[in-house]
Protein backbone atom coordinates (compact mmCIF):
# COMPACT_ATOMS: atom_id res chain seq x y z
CA UNK A 1 0.00 0.00 0.00
CA UNK A 2 2.84 2.39 0.82
CA UNK A 3 4.15 2.08 -2.75
CA UNK A 4 0.76 3.08 -4.17
CA UNK A 5 0.24 6.03 -1.82
CA UNK A 6 3.72 7.53 -1.69
CA UNK A 7 5.39 6.54 -4.96
CA UNK A 8 2.45 6.43 -7.35
CA UNK A 9 0.43 9.14 -5.57
CA UNK A 10 -2.77 7.07 -5.64
CA UNK A 11 -5.29 8.77 -3.33
CA UNK A 12 -6.22 6.81 -0.21
CA UNK A 13 -9.33 7.84 1.72
CA UNK A 14 -9.52 6.76 5.34
CA UNK A 15 -12.20 7.52 7.93
CA UNK A 16 -10.84 10.27 10.18
CA UNK A 17 -11.20 8.02 13.26
CA UNK A 18 -8.59 5.61 11.86
CA UNK A 19 -6.33 8.09 10.06
CA UNK A 20 -3.31 7.95 12.41
CA UNK A 21 -3.56 4.18 12.85
CA UNK A 22 -3.80 3.57 9.09
CA UNK A 23 -0.80 5.80 8.38
CA UNK A 24 1.27 3.93 10.97
CA UNK A 25 0.15 0.51 9.67
CA UNK A 26 1.13 1.20 6.07
CA UNK A 27 4.16 3.33 6.93
CA UNK A 28 3.18 6.63 5.33
CA UNK A 29 2.97 10.20 6.54
CA UNK A 30 -0.58 10.91 7.71
CA UNK A 31 -0.62 13.94 5.37
CA UNK A 32 -0.58 11.58 2.35
CA UNK A 33 -3.98 10.16 3.35
CA UNK A 34 -7.31 11.88 2.78
CA UNK A 35 -9.71 11.76 5.73
CA UNK A 36 -13.47 11.45 5.37
CA UNK A 37 -16.40 11.37 7.79
CA UNK A 38 -20.13 10.67 7.94
CA UNK A 39 -22.02 12.48 5.18
CA UNK A 40 -18.96 13.42 3.13
CA UNK A 41 -19.02 12.83 -0.61
CA UNK A 42 -15.97 11.10 -2.06
CA UNK A 43 -15.43 11.62 -5.79
CA UNK A 44 -13.45 9.27 -8.00
CA UNK A 45 -13.49 10.69 -11.49
CA UNK A 46 -17.15 11.18 -12.46
CA UNK A 47 -18.39 8.84 -9.71
CA UNK A 48 -19.49 10.28 -6.38
CA UNK A 49 -20.08 8.25 -3.22
CA UNK A 50 -21.83 9.33 -0.03
CA UNK A 51 -20.19 8.12 3.18
CA UNK A 52 -22.25 6.36 5.83
CA UNK A 53 -20.14 5.70 8.93
CA UNK A 54 -20.81 2.13 10.09
CA UNK A 55 -18.55 1.25 13.04
CA UNK A 56 -18.55 -2.34 14.22
CA UNK A 57 -15.99 -4.32 12.24
CA UNK A 58 -13.61 -1.44 12.96
CA UNK A 59 -14.18 2.03 14.44
CA UNK A 60 -13.88 3.66 10.99
CA UNK A 61 -15.86 1.16 8.92
CA UNK A 62 -18.00 2.87 6.32
CA UNK A 63 -20.43 2.15 3.51
CA UNK A 64 -20.12 4.17 0.30
CA UNK A 65 -23.40 4.81 -1.50
CA UNK A 66 -22.71 5.34 -5.20
CA UNK A 67 -24.64 7.86 -7.27
CA UNK A 68 -25.27 6.82 -10.85
CA UNK A 69 -25.20 9.09 -13.89
CA UNK A 70 -28.88 9.90 -13.28
CA UNK A 71 -28.10 11.04 -9.74
CA UNK A 72 -29.93 8.08 -8.21
CA UNK A 73 -28.26 6.03 -5.50
CA UNK A 74 -28.42 2.50 -6.91
CA UNK A 75 -25.34 0.76 -5.50
CA UNK A 76 -23.47 0.65 -2.22
CA UNK A 77 -19.99 -0.60 -1.45
CA UNK A 78 -20.48 -2.21 1.95
CA UNK A 79 -16.90 -3.27 2.69
CA UNK A 80 -16.81 -5.38 5.85
CA UNK A 81 -20.12 -4.07 7.21
CA UNK A 82 -22.47 -6.27 5.15
CA UNK A 83 -21.71 -9.52 3.37
CA UNK A 84 -24.43 -11.61 1.71
CA UNK A 85 -26.30 -12.90 4.77
CA UNK A 86 -23.65 -11.83 7.23
CA UNK A 87 -21.28 -9.08 8.40
CA UNK A 88 -17.59 -8.54 9.01
CA UNK A 89 -15.67 -10.14 11.86
CA UNK A 90 -16.35 -8.77 15.31
CA UNK A 91 -13.48 -10.39 17.21
CA UNK A 92 -10.71 -8.06 16.09
CA UNK A 93 -9.10 -5.25 18.12
CA UNK A 94 -11.40 -2.23 17.89
CA UNK A 95 -14.43 -4.20 16.69
CA UNK A 96 -17.72 -3.93 18.58
CA UNK A 97 -20.79 -6.17 18.42
CA UNK A 98 -22.97 -3.40 19.84
CA UNK A 99 -21.69 -0.81 17.35
CA UNK A 100 -22.23 -3.26 14.47
CA UNK A 101 -25.86 -3.78 15.48
CA UNK A 102 -26.38 0.00 15.62
CA UNK A 103 -24.77 0.33 12.16
CA UNK A 104 -27.03 -2.39 10.73
CA UNK A 105 -30.09 -0.59 12.13
CA UNK A 106 -28.86 2.63 10.56
CA UNK A 107 -28.38 0.96 7.16
CA UNK A 108 -31.78 -0.73 7.36
CA UNK A 109 -33.30 2.76 7.69
CA UNK A 110 -31.03 4.65 5.25
CA UNK A 111 -30.86 2.12 2.40
CA UNK A 112 -34.54 2.40 1.54
CA UNK A 113 -34.36 1.34 -2.10
CA UNK A 114 -34.76 -2.43 -1.84
CA UNK A 115 -33.47 -2.90 -5.41
CA UNK A 116 -30.14 -1.31 -4.43
CA UNK A 117 -27.18 -3.58 -5.13
CA UNK A 118 -24.76 -4.10 -2.26
CA UNK A 119 -21.12 -4.90 -3.02
CA UNK A 120 -19.27 -6.42 -0.04
CA UNK A 121 -15.54 -6.18 0.47
CA UNK A 122 -15.28 -9.98 0.28
CA UNK A 123 -17.31 -12.59 -1.61
CA UNK A 124 -18.23 -14.67 1.45
CA UNK A 125 -21.39 -16.33 0.14
CA UNK A 126 -21.79 -14.10 -2.92
CA UNK A 127 -20.02 -11.29 -4.73
CA UNK A 128 -23.12 -9.10 -4.56
CA UNK A 129 -26.44 -8.93 -2.75
CA UNK A 130 -29.35 -6.47 -2.54
CA UNK A 131 -31.06 -4.51 0.20
CA UNK A 132 -34.17 -6.67 -0.37
CA UNK A 133 -32.19 -9.91 0.05
CA UNK A 134 -30.60 -8.65 3.26
CA UNK A 135 -33.95 -7.45 4.65
CA UNK A 136 -35.44 -10.85 3.79
CA UNK A 137 -32.73 -13.15 5.11
CA UNK A 138 -29.64 -11.22 6.16
CA UNK A 139 -28.69 -8.87 8.95
CA UNK A 140 -30.99 -6.06 7.74
CA UNK A 141 -34.14 -8.06 8.47
CA UNK A 142 -36.68 -6.19 10.63
CA UNK A 143 -36.99 -9.21 12.94
CA UNK A 144 -33.38 -8.81 14.06
CA UNK A 145 -33.75 -7.16 17.46
CA UNK A 146 -30.95 -6.12 19.77
CA UNK A 147 -31.77 -9.02 22.09
CA UNK A 148 -31.69 -11.55 19.22
CA UNK A 149 -28.46 -10.02 17.90
CA UNK A 150 -26.69 -10.36 21.24
CA UNK A 151 -27.96 -13.93 21.63
CA UNK A 152 -26.61 -14.79 18.15
CA UNK A 153 -23.28 -13.11 18.86
CA UNK A 154 -22.87 -14.66 22.30
CA UNK A 155 -22.70 -11.37 24.12
Amino acid sequence: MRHWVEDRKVPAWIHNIELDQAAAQIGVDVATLTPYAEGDVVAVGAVSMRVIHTPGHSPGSSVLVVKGASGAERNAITGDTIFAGSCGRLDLPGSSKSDMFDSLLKLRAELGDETMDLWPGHAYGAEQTTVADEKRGGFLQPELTRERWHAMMGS
Side-chain angles (χ1 to χ4, degrees), residues 29-132:
D29 185 310
V30 72
T32 63
L33 304 175
T34 304
Y36 64 77
E38 171 79 20
D40 285 354
V41 174
V42 174
V44 179
V47 176
S48 65
M49 299 171 281
R50 177 174 58 92
V51 175
I52 302 175
H53 183 214
T54 57
H57 176 69
S58 73
S61 290
S62 300
V63 167
L64 302 173
V65 181
V66 182
K67 279 193 178 185
S70 69
E73 296 180 336
R74 302 282 303 144
N75 295 279
I77 301 167
T78 60
D80 286 347
T81 302
I82 295 178
F83 300 139
S86 187
C87 68
R89 290 178 56 182
L90 299 172
D91 61 340
L92 302 171
S95 64
S96 167
K97 295 172 186 175
S98 184
D99 286 349
M100 179 62 87
F101 181 77
D102 292 340
S103 292
L104 294 169
L105 280 181
K106 180 180 186 178
L107 290 175
R108 185 168 49 195
E110 284 198 38
L111 302 179
D113 181 355
E114 296 206 356
T115 64
M116 181 180 284
D117 289 323
L118 305 178
W119 298 91
H122 306 278
Y124 301 142
E127 289 184 13
Q128 174 271 331
T129 186
T130 65
V131 170

Side-chain angles (χ1 to χ4, degrees), residues 15 94 122 138 140:
H15 193 283
H122 306 278
L140 296 182

